Amino acid sequence: MALPQAARQGYDDVVLVAPVTIPYERHSEQTAHWWLGAALGQLLAQSGLKKVDVDGVCVSSFTLGSDTAVGVMQHFQMSPRWLDHIPMGGASGVVAMRRAARAVQCGDASIVACIAGDTNHRESFKNTVSGFSRFSQDAVYPYGAGGPNASFALLTDYYMRHYGATREDFGKLCVAQRDNALRNPHALMKKPLTLEQYMEARVIADPIHLFDCVMPCAGAEGYLVMRREQAEALGLPYVRIRSTIERHNAFPEDPVQHRGGWAMDKDAFYEHAGLTPADVDFMETYDDYPVINVLQFEDLGFCAKGEGPEFIRKNTFTVDGSFPFNTSGGQLSVGQAGAAGGYLGLVQALRQLTDTAGDTQVANARIGLVSGFGMINYDRGICTAAALLERGQ
């Protein structure tokens, strides 16, 4: 018999402030520690806080070597009373926010810095992929199938065969995201992308082609979590948390992933916020490959399962069009700075909801949805998370 679940508590008076990005580089000789430190430094500069004021830290990174979050604190000469390490890839940004918000709410920390960053040496990505998990080390990489390209080829092929999606559908998303990225000074992709160029791009792992694949890079992202009265005292625009969810290893019985953990918690997600999908003004998803965007559209209630292709055909996804989506350009056009890729959408959402998104600003944005997806193992990602955020003032 299933045990009754405790009633979900809100995030009363806990807010998010100070979105920061350390501009991405294709390759970097700096360490991950340097990138994380740069993010922390920007958080302090933007908020006016001193390092000693930050008594909680969340860290996400894949390239710290033998260090952990504790080692990073020693490097930074910090002594936080609350510390977490969130090694959940694309879900890290939302999961860190959930942990930090509860820590602030219950008094375990007063101000939490959530930071994610990675370097990208010439061999970094190859080394990360080869040792990504026990599964990859034992059962995939030795046979030459390691890495996300092959895994997402499986997911993409399954989705296309079962639900009628075409390469043109996925291409429309990529082209729209590139259009958004051209407005974003942080994006590494600086050239326009046409659907014709997308369709003619070389095959990487059929049916995945070049522009379906995220580009690894170096960079960092961050934000602060604190109480509303602290943000107001510091004169910082803030964002409220309306609802969050996370789920791990959802639907293990599915032969190939065609849905994620969002589908298990979608109803509770919106009920907790008192909102519906129709209330969402823009959406930021983890987007290392287009197919996972479509799963998030479906599993978070913007269309039914299998209706993703038609949803794509009905919307423009650009900042100034219908259903503004991945308004920074997303990882597919900004770049994937390791674990910072899991923060990219959340940091962009904070900019949207504090009117600091520059040329990517969505007019009159009040409610944003951020979704995360991480830790791909062969034929599925095993971490999912999402948040509904609201403009604070």
Side-chain angles (χ1 to χ4, degrees):
M1 184 179 71
L3 296 174
Q5 293 186 353
R8 300 186 69 198
Q9 301 299 307
Y11 294 89
D12 299 340
D13 285 331
V14 178
V15 299
L16 312 176
V17 303
V20 302
T21 298
I22 306 304
Y24 292 6
E25 298 176 8
R26 181 67 179 92
H27 293 102
S28 171
E29 294 306 312
Q30 302 288 357
T31 65
H33 308 68
W34 184 92
W35 287 97
L36 292 165
L40 178 64
Q42 283 294 314
L43 288 173
L44 298 178
Q46 184 167 316
S47 65
L49 295 167
K50 295 181 173 61
K51 188 165 64 173
V52 70
D53 297 324
V54 177
D55 58 356
V57 183
C58 273
V59 177
S60 294
S61 181
F62 289 126
T63 52
L64 287 171
S66 57
D67 264 333
T68 64
V70 175
V72 171
M73 293 303 96
Q74 186 178 28
H75 283 287
F76 291 176
Q77 297 185 349
M78 295 179 70
S79 301
R81 62 190 178 107
W82 185 89
L83 177 66
D84 208 348
H85 176 211
I86 312 291
M88 298 181 188
S92 295
V94 174
V95 173
M97 181 200 71
R98 299 184 89 225
R99 307 281 198 272
R102 294 305 188 196
V104 169
Q105 191 174 47
C106 72
D108 286 346
S110 177
I111 297 173
V112 179
C114 295
I115 52 176
D118 274 295
T119 192
N120 190 38
H121 304 322
R122 295 290 172 177
E123 296 294 312
S124 290
F125 188 72
K126 178 180 177 181
N127 294 335
T128 299
V129 166
S130 65
F132 191 71
S133 69
R134 189 77 255 174
F135 186 96
S136 65
Q137 289 175 317
D138 289 348
V140 178
Y141 197 75
Y143 296 94
N149 290 337
S151 297
F152 277 95
L154 286 174
L155 272 66
T156 302
D157 178 70
Y158 182 95
Y159 190 90
M160 292 174 76
R161 287 189 291 108
H162 283 77
Y163 300 115
T166 65
R167 287 198 61 231
E168 287 85 352
D169 294 327
F170 295 134
K172 183 177 181 180
L173 291 177
C174 293
V175 170
Q177 289 188 205
R178 181 64 61 86
D179 184 78
N180 293 340
L182 295 176
R183 307 165 184 248
N184 178 7
H186 296 306
L188 288 181
M189 306 298 187
K190 303 296 187 183
K191 296 180 179 179
L193 176 67
T194 67
L195 185 59
E196 182 180 20
Q197 289 171 322
Y198 170 91
M199 294 297 294
E200 293 177 351
R202 71 180 187 271
V203 177
I204 302 298
D206 192 34
I208 296 291
H209 289 236
L210 179 63
F211 294 113
D212 295 307
C213 303
V214 74
M215 184 181 76
C217 62
E221 305 274 351
Y223 58 90
L224 294 172
V225 183
M226 61 181 65
R227 291 195 173 274
R228 177 178 53 80
E229 55 266 30
Q230 292 171 309
E232 291 175 343
L234 291 166
L236 297 173
Y238 58 83
V239 173
R240 299 179 187 273
I241 306 168
R242 292 291 297 267
S243 182
T244 70
I245 51 174
E246 82 180 77
R247 180 72 65 166
H248 306 284
N249 197 34
F251 307 114
E253 69 278 8
D254 290 350
V256 176
Q257 186 169 43
H258 62 277
R259 53 184 173 168
W262 315 281
M264 299 181 71
D265 302 299
K266 173 186 62 179
D267 293 342
F269 180 52
Y270 289 108
E271 181 181 355
H272 188 225
L275 299 169
T276 71
D279 296 313
V280 173
D281 297 310
F282 66 92
M283 184 181 189
E284 313 284 349
T285 72
Y286 188 79
D287 68 311
D288 46 359
Y289 296 81
V291 69
I292 197 58
N293 289 332
V294 185
L295 267 60
Q296 288 167 92
F297 295 155
E298 295 172 344
D299 293 350
L300 284 161
F302 295 99
C303 57
K305 178 55 63 181
E307 294 181 1
E310 184 59 30
F311 184 76
I312 292 172
R313 295 161 196 167
K314 291 194 304 185
N315 288 288
T316 69
F317 304 104
T318 54
V319 168
D320 53 3
S322 62
F323 200 78
F325 169 69
N326 281 350
T327 58
S328 68
Q331 292 178 94
L332 286 171
S333 281
V334 175
Q336 183 189 55
Y343 273 56
L344 176 65
L346 182 50
V347 169
Q348 175 68 4
L350 299 186
R351 291 193 174 105
Q352 288 289 351
L353 296 171
T354 55
D355 287 328
T356 56
D359 290 340
T360 69
Q361 185 69 50
V362 174
N364 303 314
R366 187 181 68 87
I367 300 290
L369 191 154
V370 181
S371 180
F373 174 81
M375 309 311 290
I376 184 76
N377 260 347
Y378 186 54
D379 67 343
R380 66 199 63 223
I382 55 178
C383 300
T384 57
L388 283 162
L389 305 177
E390 182 180 33
R391 178 182 295 271
Q393 292 105 327

